[in-house]
Amino acid sequence: MSILPAAAFAHQNPFDFEIGPNRYADPPHRFMNGTPHIPALEAARPGLAILAEAGIANIREKSKRQTALLIKLADQHGWHVHTPRDPEKRGGTVSIDMPDSQEVSRELIKRNILVDWRPQAGVRFSPHFYTKDAEIEAAIGAVGEILNERKVAAS
């Protein structure tokens, strides 16, 4: 018989070390499992310090500005944007659907431009607080280059 249930932190009183059936805590804690991985939590501390120094409000404002830049650049090319245009209704990712978007995504990754692709959404660009505007412009420029190269290859 186990002294501490396997889903220890899902228990109502995880540090009581009760024997017997689990008495689950209320959500969201009832969905937890074993002990948190303390070394991973410790490893996260420097990143949290960096975020605190940059300021969450500053990060959010920069995110809204840079996602607006992505939308503007996509609009200039006539590509469909699947992300809300209202900055208060969008997160830090902009999904842009251009011709051959899955192939474009693969080629961007080969060029060390980190994106992701989803069906019916297109290429997802996710600038971070350390991303420079020039990098966003270069990424969209690379999409244009890739599409031009594909057009030339097809002719």
Side-chain angles (χ1 to χ4, degrees):
M1 182 176 288
S2 168
I3 294 176
L4 188 61
F9 285 90
H11 195 272
Q12 283 179 4
N13 301 301
F15 295 107
D16 285 354
F17 302 101
E18 297 173 346
I19 295 173
N22 267 337
R23 288 182 303 110
Y24 288 103
D26 292 330
H29 297 288
R30 78 176 295 124
F31 301 108
M32 293 184 71
N33 49 28
T35 306
H37 191 262
I38 303 303
L41 295 173
E42 195 59 32
R45 283 182 187 267
L48 295 172
I50 290 168
L51 292 174
E53 183 180 332
I56 299 302
N58 294 334
I59 292 170
R60 177 64 178 140
E61 286 308 308
K62 183 176 181 189
S63 175
K64 290 193 297 189
R65 184 179 57 73
Q66 287 190 325
T67 53
L69 174 60
L70 277 164
I71 291 169
K72 175 184 159 200
L73 294 171
D75 286 345
Q76 288 174 356
H77 288 278
W79 302 327
H80 183 73
V81 175
H82 288 279
T83 301
R85 291 174 181 271
D86 179 348
E88 299 308 319
K89 292 183 180 178
R90 69 173 178 259
T93 298
V94 176
S95 297
I96 303 171
D97 204 5
M98 70 281 296
D100 302 318
S101 63
Q102 188 171 20
E103 292 77 20
V104 168
S105 176
R106 288 183 185 131
E107 184 59 33
L108 287 169
I109 292 168
K110 285 180 190 174
R111 296 179 185 201
N112 206 27
I113 299 170
L114 303 179
V115 295
D116 135 9
W117 180 85
R118 299 290 165 90
Q120 277 103 51
V123 181
R124 295 184 344 151
F125 296 84
S126 302
H128 295 280
F129 74 95
Y130 49 79
T131 303
K132 298 175 182 158
D133 290 357
E135 292 171 308
I136 292 171
E137 292 164 356
I140 296 298
V143 171
E145 290 170 12
I146 293 164
L147 291 174
N148 286 336
E149 290 166 6
R150 292 180 64 78
K151 193 183 299 182
V152 168
S155 18

